[in-house]
Amino acid sequence: MRVFIYNAAGLTVPVEVEPGLPFKFTCTEEECGRKIVIEGVVRPASEEEFTRVLEKTVKENSDFKKIREITARKLVFEGKVNGKEVLLPVESFEDFARRFLEEVLVLR
């Protein structure tokens, strides 16, 4: 499953994962502007946990307030980004595309 991990070292990072299985991903300085190493697991979250993680992310970085519109599968990344323990919101490419198209086609 391709997903976006939001606020990984301040960036939205696209990765390929198997939910529930550990992974390691490195985004090079050329690709991301700085080297980012992500290691952990993407897993389902309850509505409550997802909302808590999402709001913490937006509070830390207001550039991510648009992700409050995520309504589909509730996923989180639990692990490390550049060695720092994190819990971050995740959205599948499929859910992102659906949300994007609904916004464009409905013109909210």
Side-chain angles (χ1 to χ4, degrees), residues 84-106:
K84 179 184 174 193
E85 290 284 340
V86 295
L87 190 58
L88 300 171
V90 172
E91 183 174 28
S92 73
F93 275 34
E94 181 183 311
D95 293 340
F96 172 83
R98 187 177 301 116
R99 184 168 59 91
F100 177 80
L101 287 173
E102 285 173 0
E103 184 173 306
V104 170
L105 294 176
V106 176

Side-chain angles (χ1 to χ4, degrees), residues 1 6 9 12 15 18 20 24 26 31 38 41 51 62 71 75 78 80 85 87 89 92 95 104:
M1 167 189 288
Y6 293 110
T12 298
V15 296
E18 286 294 326
K24 183 173 182 177
T26 301
E31 294 170 313
I38 301 171
V41 65
T51 300
S62 63
T71 58
L75 300 169
E78 185 171 13
K80 295 180 180 181
E85 290 284 340
L87 190 58
S92 73
D95 293 340
V104 170

Side-chain angles (χ1 to χ4, degrees), residues 34-83:
R34 60 186 174 271
K35 185 177 179 181
I36 299 175
V37 178
I38 301 171
E39 48 191 324
V41 65
V42 169
R43 62 171 175 78
S46 68
E47 182 83 32
E48 181 181 295
E49 179 186 32
F50 183 79
T51 300
R52 189 172 54 247
V53 170
L54 189 142
E55 289 304 324
K56 182 175 184 263
T57 298
V58 172
K59 185 177 180 181
E60 289 174 4
N61 189 336
S62 63
D63 291 344
F64 288 98
K65 62 185 169 205
K66 193 81 172 152
I67 65 174
R68 285 184 171 136
E69 296 175 4
I70 296 172
T71 58
R73 287 174 279 194
K74 309 301 183 200
L75 300 169
V76 294
F77 167 76
E78 185 171 13
K80 295 180 180 181
V81 174
N82 291 346

